[in-house]
Amino acid sequence: MIRITRRTVIAASVAACLGATGMLFSSGALAADTIKIGLVTALTGQSAQAGEAITRGMTIAIDEINANGGLLGGRKLELVRRDDEGNPAKGVLAARELIFKEKVAVIFGGLDTPVSMAIVPIINQQKVPFVGPWAAGTGITKNGANPNYAFRVSAVDELVDVAMVDYAQKNFNSKKAGLILVNNPWGESNEKGILAALAGKNEKPAGVEKFEASDVDVVPQLTRLKSSGVDTLYLVGNVGPSAQVVKSLDRMGWKVPIVSHWGPAGGRFTELAGPNAKNVHFVQTFSFFGKLSPVGEKVVDALKKKYPSIKGPDDITPAVGVANAYDGVQLAALAIAKAGSTNGDAVREGFYKIDRYDGLIKVYNKPFSATEHDALQPKDYVWAQFIDNRILPVQK
């Protein structure tokens, strides 16, 4: 029989407290050993597929870096995600949590330009480098801050807009452009860019129309554009709104070429838009179809091993989410290595010190400078469309 005394109870309590404290110290030490990389993106809703693609691209890069010994003397990278649900206010809360609670070294973020634009002032204020793997709003990186902590491995609106106009004129002989744009900062950014691109060719649009992201009928706006003699539509909107444009065109019986930003690639576009989703030609930064570089083959192999549902290029969708995120993490890791620490200002300077990186999308030669925070340029863009629910390069 074991005799339990007051002294025994006290001793046991002290031991338990010490054990718990030890566990806390141990856990803290373990956490300190990792370098946390934050991600704020849509993980639910119509664009969740794109958020998952970004996650997968980041995860493959992180696994590769960790398998090669990590950074800064063996510290492993750790991905910490937060769902912004496509909502700027929720994106801000998520970013603040990652900065102040999780102490991330770098934040990746934003499917949606409004979310990224809301986060940028915080990262500049708190001196935490930000890497955009999707949102294309020009003002994300050209935000007026000095120093500027926002970098991007993605398309850029003002450059995409020039590419859209060139593509429409070359492939559809467009002479009377009609703009149909989501009514938010992303739409505004592209309106300015497309108008400037047209003005560069001494042209003006035949009409400009806006729609709300929640609209389920865009027939009135499209009817006005049709009445103006529009021969090509320039579309800017994410998955759901872009699908509504296509369905509204179907109800009107108006068959008109559609040249789009890459919003339709972010999720269930073919399911929502129906059979005429294939008529939308949209910009991309990468395709896993065709002959791949050694880096491309390595990434595909890693994706197949980690995600059993991936059997080939058809299943890596949207490709830009995977590709931009993978290269973005690799470049951020190089910046941390150049910095020799996770200090925000040192990492920002580290981005400028990257000389060369043989990436998935391309070979990057000095991708960033104090005046250039966008690693991808128009020559890196490709054009695609949905064929049998697959994103394929447009066959010319």
Side-chain angles (χ1 to χ4, degrees), residues 285-308:
T285 55
F286 189 76
S287 171
F288 282 98
F289 289 91
K291 183 174 176 56
L292 295 175
S293 68
V295 177
E297 293 176 353
K298 176 180 66 176
V299 170
V300 171
D301 287 344
L303 286 165
K304 288 179 180 178
K305 290 177 182 176
K306 193 169 187 70
Y307 304 102

Side-chain angles (χ1 to χ4, degrees), residues 38-43 81-100 107-123 130:
L39 170 60
V40 179
T41 191
L43 298 172
R81 301 192 306 168
R82 294 292 184 272
D83 185 3
D84 62 36
E85 301 177 32
N87 183 304
K90 291 183 179 180
V92 168
L93 289 174
R96 292 183 67 85
E97 182 179 350
L98 290 174
I99 291 170
F100 295 110
I107 289 183
F108 277 65
L111 275 174
D112 303 278
T113 287
V115 176
S116 291
M117 292 294 291
I119 291 174
V120 163
I122 300 169
I123 59 98
F130 173 94

